Amino acid sequence: MARKKKAVPAGAVVPEPRQPAPSPAGISAPGEVVQGDWTIAILAMTMLLAPALGVPNEEMLQDTLKSMVVSFGALGAAALFFWQQRNRSQALRWHALMWLPLGLMAYALGSMAWSHTYLAGVEAIRWFIFSLLLWLGLNTLSRDRVPVLARGIHWGAVVASLWAALQFWVDFKLFPQGPNPASTFVNRNFFAEFVVCTLPFSVLLLAQARSSSQVALLAFTTGFNIVAILMTGTRSALLALLALCVVLPVLLLLYRRQFAFSAWDKATRVLALGVLLITVLGMGLIPTGNSALVQDHATAQRGLTPLERSFSRTASMTLSKEYTEGSFAVRLVMWKATMRIIKERPLSGVGAGAWEVDIPLYQAEGSQLETDYYVHNEILQLLAEYGLLGWAFLLLLLAYLARAAWITWRARTPEELAEAPVRAIALAAMLAFLVVSNAGFPWRMASTGAMFALVLALLAASDIRVGLNSALLGQRLAWRPAVSRGLVAASLACTALALYISQKAIDCERDIVRAVRLALAVSADANPNDPRWDRVKADMLNLVERGIAVNPHYRKLTPMVADNLARWGDWRNAIWVWDSVATSRPYVVAILTNIARGYIQGRNFDAARAYLERARKIQPNALTVLSLEVILLGRTGREADAIRIMKSHFKDNVYDFDMANSAYLFGSYAKDWELALQGLQLIIKSWPDQAANAWVKTGNIYASSEFHDEAKALAAYRAAMDAAVTQPQRESTLKQIPAAFQGRL
C-alpha cells in the first residue's frame, strides 16, 4: 500500500531554497549556477536542433551531423559557462554519477593502446561529451529551468515527427531514407527510439500548462509524436510506449497536486484528453502515400495506417515466422555471439568500440554477421567491450536508478514533494530509454545519447536539492578562478579540434559517397568497360583514395567501390580498396575471400592461398570459404579435386553463386555435362536475376554437338526469354541465342 504523502494545496508555490539543507554528514553542496547563465538554454536548443536537422543528401551520414550539433552545443555551453565563472572562488557541484562515464572514458583511452585505436578513440570522445553534458546539467539545471530543457526536447521531437509524417503520408523526399519513415535519422528505428524517450517530457509540459491554448497545443503535439511512433512500427519503441501508457498516468495521479492540471476546470481537462485522443485516433487512421510502405504492406501485410502498422508489428512479436526468421532471428544470432565474448573475455572485454572488429571470431560455426556494426543490445555490447568495468557501470547505474525511484516514491518533506514530479518524469524517460536499449543502440546515437546524459543530470541535480549530500552522491568541488580560465582555454581548444574533425569527416564522407555513386553509375551501364567511362573511373578512384587516406575505417561504404571494381574486372584496384578495409577489420571473412579472388584473377596463387587460410581459421565452413577453395583448386590445375568437393557440397545442399557457377565452368571444361547442368539449375533456382543467362547457357549445352538435342535446347531458350523481365534484358538475351534458334522462338 502506498505511503500517504503530505498534500500541497493546488496552485501553491513551494519556495526553492538557494542552498539545500546540510546532510547528516554535515556536507552542504552549493546551489545551481543560475545568475546570468545560458547553459540550459544552449542545451535545450541543442536538443531541439539535433533531431530536427538532417542532411538533404547522402554525402554525409545523418548521425555525423547530429554528433556535430551535440558536440558543439556541449562545448559551446561549457566555454560560456567557464567564462562566466572566471572569477568564481566558491565551490561547484560533483556527483558520484560522474565517475561512471569518466571510468568508461578512461578505459576507452587505455584500450586505444591494445585494441582498435580508432574505434576506442571514438568511444573516448563519446563518453567525454556525455560527461560534460552530465556535469553542466548537474551545476545549472535548477527546478525552474527543467521546463526550458523539456521544451527543447519536446519541440525537437515534434519537428522530427513532422518530417516523418510527411514521409509517411506524402512520400516527402528531402532527407535520404533507409527503412521509411525515418525523419532525419536515416532509419525509422533510430527515430522511434528517440521520440518515445521524449514523451515523458511532453507529458510534463502538458501537465504544467496553465492556459487552454497551451493545453490544446501541447495535447496535439504530444499526440502527433505518438502517431509518428506508430508510423514506424518499431517494436522496441512500441513496447516502451506501452510501458509509458501505464506508468505516466500513474505518476500524474500520484503527484496530481504538484501539477498545474490539478487546478484545471472540467472544460480544460476535456479539451486536453479530447485533443490527445482525436489526434492519435484521427491521424492514426490516415493511410500512407509512401510507395515503399505500400509495397511493404503488399508483401508483408504490415498495414497502411499508423494504427494498423503498430498493431501488426506488435502482433509480430509473437512466435510468427516474420519475427523468428526476420530481424529478431538475426539479432538473436548476434546476441549469442556477444555472450560468447562476455564468457571468454569477462575481465578485459574486447576493447571500447571493438565489438564489430572481433565479433567474427565468436560467431557460431557457419554464421556470418559481417554487415552488422552494433549488437542491437546496448547492455550486451557494454559488457562485451568493457568487461568488468562494464559490469560495474551497469550495476551501479541500475542501483542508482532503483535508489532514486525509492527516494521519489517515499517523498515526504515539502522539498521532496516539490522534486518528486520532475524526478518521476526523468525516471519514466529512463525506463523508455532502457527498454529500447535492449533492441537497438541508442547510447551511440547522438540525440538519444545526449538525452541519456541530461536525464541523469536532472536526477543528480535533484538529489542535491533534496539534501542527498554525502561522499557517495552530491559533493562540493573546490574551485578557483584559475581553474575556470584554464577550462575556458581547454573548451576553446576542444572546439577547434571538433571543428577540424568535423571538416575532415565532411570531406571524407563526401568523397567516399561520391565514389560509390560513380561506381554504381558505371555498373548500371550495359558496357561498364566502354572507354567513355575511363574519366569517370579515374575520378572515382581519386575520390575513394582521398577518402580512405583521411579515414580508412568506413567499412560500410568503401567495399561497395571495390565490389563494383571487381564487377568490371579491375581486380588490381579492387584488391587495394578491400585491403584497406581488411587492415581495419582483419576478421571479416567476406573481405578476406574477396581479396583472395582478386589474387586468383591476377594468378598470384600464393597470396590467394594465404588469404584463404586466414578466412578458414575464422569460419572454416562459411560458404564463401568453401567456394573459394573450389575456385583455387580449379585454377591451380586440380580440377578433379574441385569437382569432387563441389559434388559433395551439392549433395548436402551447400553452395553459393560462385560455387554453382564454378560447377558450370569446370563441368564444361571437363566435359562433365551433368555437373555443368546441375550448376546452372542451382543458379536458376536460387538467383532469379541470373536465370535468363543460365537458361541460355543450358540451351547452348543441349545445342552443342555432344548432345544435339534441339527440343531441349529450344525449350531452354524459350525459358530464357520468359525469365528476361525488362525489354532491354529481353533484347540482350535474344542476342545471346544462336541465330538458328531465334526464328523458332
Side-chain angles (χ1 to χ4, degrees):
M1 187 172 179
R3 185 188 299 269
K4 188 173 181 181
K5 301 173 175 59
K6 287 186 179 181
V8 178
V13 177
V14 179
E16 183 176 345
R18 282 296 177 189
Q19 297 285 349
S23 69
I27 301 173
S28 178
E32 299 90 352
V33 177
V34 295
Q35 186 67 34
D37 180 72
W38 287 80
T39 301
I40 296 305
I42 294 173
L43 296 182
M45 183 59 66
T46 299
M47 292 307 299
L48 189 156
L49 294 177
L53 297 180
V55 185
N57 55 60
E58 295 180 332
E59 294 188 358
M60 182 195 296
L61 301 180
Q62 296 292 350
D63 206 58
T64 300
L65 173 64
K66 298 183 187 305
S67 297
M68 292 178 190
V69 172
V70 171
S71 297
F72 287 125
L75 292 170
L80 185 58
F81 176 83
F82 293 131
W83 173 254
Q84 290 173 334
Q85 306 306 312
R86 62 191 180 278
N87 297 318
R88 184 184 183 96
S89 299
Q90 297 83 12
L92 287 170
R93 291 177 168 186
W94 189 259
H95 194 282
L97 275 177
M98 289 296 306
W99 295 114
L100 299 185
L102 288 175
L104 296 184
M105 184 186 75
Y107 174 90
L109 289 171
S111 65
M112 291 176 70
W114 58 269
S115 187
H116 197 287
T117 302
Y118 171 80
L119 295 176
V122 171
E123 286 289 290
I125 293 172
R126 180 165 69 90
W127 289 118
F128 167 72
I129 295 296
F130 186 102
S131 302
L132 185 58
L133 288 170
L134 175 54
W135 188 80
L136 288 171
L138 169 67
N139 281 277
T140 61
L141 195 51
S142 61
R143 188 164 64 239
D144 59 352
R145 285 174 152 195
V146 170
V148 176
L149 180 62
R151 281 192 286 272
I153 293 171
H154 171 75
W155 288 107
V158 171
V159 177
S161 296
L162 175 61
W163 300 132
L166 291 173
Q167 291 156 1
F168 184 88
W169 283 323
V170 298
D171 204 3
F172 182 69
K173 296 184 180 296
L174 178 61
F175 305 109
Q177 298 288 289
N180 289 209
S183 183
T184 62
F185 289 72
V186 93
N187 186 306
R188 63 190 174 211
N189 293 344
F190 306 160
F191 161 70
E193 288 164 0
F194 169 75
V195 175
V196 77
C197 295
T198 69
L199 289 179
F201 293 98
S202 301
V203 170
L204 173 65
L205 293 174
L206 176 59
Q208 292 288 47
R210 298 189 180 277
S211 69
S212 58
S213 59
Q214 285 183 328
V215 169
L217 178 61
L218 288 166
F220 169 74
T221 50
T222 301
F224 182 65
N225 289 351
I226 293 173
V227 172
I229 296 170
L230 303 183
M231 290 173 178
T232 66
T234 298
R235 288 174 287 211
S236 61
L238 292 173
L239 282 177
L241 179 61
L242 286 174
L244 291 178
C245 286
V246 174
V247 170
L248 289 175
V250 172
L251 297 181
L252 292 176
L253 180 63
L254 283 174
Y255 304 112
R256 59 190 178 278
R257 293 188 179 278
Q258 288 97 306
F259 286 116
F261 79 83
S262 62
W264 292 351
D265 56 28
K266 185 177 180 180
T268 304
R269 295 180 183 182
V270 170
L271 174 67
L273 186 60
V275 170
L276 182 64
L277 291 177
I278 290 172
T279 301
V280 173
L281 297 178
M283 290 188 168
L285 293 173
I286 301 175
T288 181
N290 185 313
S291 57
L293 295 177
V294 172
Q295 181 61 35
D296 189 34
H297 172 70
T299 56
Q301 295 299 305
R302 291 182 175 174
L304 293 174
T305 69
L307 286 171
E308 287 176 351
R309 286 182 67 80
S310 64
F311 294 147
S312 172
R313 296 289 282 170
T314 302
S316 73
M317 284 186 278
T318 61
L319 295 179
S320 65
K321 183 176 181 180
E322 177 192 359
Y323 192 57
T324 57
E325 297 182 9
S327 60
F328 176 77
V330 174
R331 292 178 186 184
L332 187 60
V333 172
M334 290 191 288
W335 296 344
K336 288 180 178 179
T338 306
M339 286 189 278
R340 292 188 192 95
I341 295 179
I342 296 170
K343 181 180 178 181
E344 295 183 26
R345 303 284 293 272
L347 298 179
S348 67
V350 294
W355 176 88
E356 63 169 293
V357 177
D358 285 11
I359 192 62
L361 301 175
Y362 297 90
Q363 295 172 53
E365 187 75 11
S367 64
Q368 289 178 260
L369 303 174
E370 296 166 350
T371 59
D372 292 290
Y373 310 97
Y374 301 106
V375 186
H376 288 77
N377 185 305
E378 288 285 12
I379 310 305
L380 292 179
Q381 185 150 359
L382 177 76
L383 302 180
E385 292 183 350
Y386 291 84
L388 186 61
L389 186 61
W391 280 105
F393 178 96
L394 178 63
L395 294 176
L396 289 172
L397 176 64
L398 294 178
Y400 169 77
L401 293 175
R403 186 173 187 268
W406 173 248
I407 291 170
T408 304
W409 172 257
R410 61 187 298 272
R412 288 171 294 178
T413 68
E415 183 66 27
E416 290 173 341
L417 286 170
E419 289 290 328
V422 170
R423 293 174 65 84
I425 288 296
L427 288 167
M430 280 302 306
L431 172 64
F433 183 79
L434 291 175
V435 169
V436 298
S437 295
N438 283 280
F441 40 94
W443 297 20
R444 290 150 210 283
M445 306 304 292
S447 300
T448 38
M451 193 161 66
F452 182 18
L454 291 173
V455 170
L456 290 182
L458 192 157
L459 288 170
S462 177
D463 284 344
I464 295 176
R465 286 197 295 272
V466 297
L468 299 177
N469 309 320
S470 68
L472 291 178
L473 290 178
Q475 303 170 41
R476 296 174 62 86
L477 182 64
W479 206 259
R480 299 191 307 276
V483 175
S484 289
R485 294 165 189 170
L487 289 175
V488 169
S491 299
L492 294 176
C494 288
T495 303
L497 179 60
L499 283 169
Y500 174 78
I501 294 173
S502 298
Q503 185 59 53
K504 288 294 184 182
I506 292 170
D507 293 341
C508 176
E509 291 180 5
R510 182 194 61 230
D511 288 345
I512 293 178
V513 170
R514 286 181 178 177
V516 171
R517 282 180 170 176
L518 292 177
L520 294 174
V522 175
S523 291
D525 189 75
N527 184 11
N529 289 316
D530 190 294
R532 64 191 173 88
W533 290 113
D534 290 349
R535 179 61 182 273
V536 175
K537 291 179 180 179
D539 291 342
M540 179 204 70
L541 288 170
N542 182 51
L543 286 168
V544 76
E545 187 173 6
R546 281 188 350 213
I548 290 173
V550 174
N551 187 351
H553 303 288
Y554 277 106
R555 176 163 75 87
K556 186 176 183 179
L557 299 176
T558 50
M560 297 173 67
V561 177
D563 294 346
N564 283 280
L565 286 164
R567 194 170 292 122
W568 314 329
D570 189 353
W571 291 94
R572 182 178 64 83
N573 283 313
I575 287 172
W576 78 257
V577 176
W578 278 323
D579 195 54
S580 73
V581 181
T583 301
S584 175
R585 311 292 197 277
Y587 310 123
V588 181
V589 170
I591 297 295
L592 298 177
T593 54
N594 282 345
I595 295 172
R597 283 177 168 82
Y599 281 123
I600 289 173
Q601 294 296 323
R603 303 192 65 79
N604 188 344
F605 299 125
D606 289 339
R609 194 172 289 108
Y611 275 93
L612 170 61
E613 290 307 314
R614 283 179 59 180
R616 201 200 306 271
K617 288 180 181 178
I618 300 167
Q619 280 288 326
N621 293 320
L623 277 174
T624 54
V625 174
L626 300 176
S627 176
L628 177 61
E629 179 186 25
V630 167
I631 294 171
L632 186 57
L633 286 172
R635 293 295 297 273
T636 54
R638 299 174 60 185
E639 292 88 352
D641 291 336
I643 290 173
R644 175 179 52 80
I645 291 173
M646 276 191 292
K647 288 183 176 180
S648 174
H649 289 323
F650 290 160
K651 284 182 181 179
D652 296 331
N653 201 35
V654 174
Y655 62 92
D656 64 359
F657 179 83
D658 285 335
M659 190 181 295
N661 192 53
S662 296
Y664 163 71
L665 295 173
F666 294 157
S668 299
Y669 176 80
K671 307 296 184 183
D672 187 341
W673 302 113
E674 181 182 354
L675 177 64
L677 290 170
Q678 184 180 11
L680 292 171
Q681 286 302 307
L682 291 174
I683 291 174
I684 292 167
K685 172 186 174 183
S686 303
W687 292 275
D689 60 319
Q690 299 293 324
N693 187 45
W695 276 119
V696 170
K697 291 175 179 177
T698 301
N700 291 342
I701 291 175
Y702 284 123
S704 65
S705 58
E706 286 82 359
F707 282 90
H708 200 65
D709 189 330
E710 291 193 5
K712 289 186 177 180
L714 185 61
Y717 292 139
R718 284 176 174 161
M721 294 301 296
D722 290 339
V725 179
T726 65
Q727 186 61 31
Q729 189 179 13
R730 290 178 63 83
E731 293 173 358
S732 174
T733 301
L734 185 61
K735 290 178 181 179
Q736 299 176 54
I737 296 172
F741 288 88
Q742 289 184 14
R744 300 167 63 184
L745 294 177

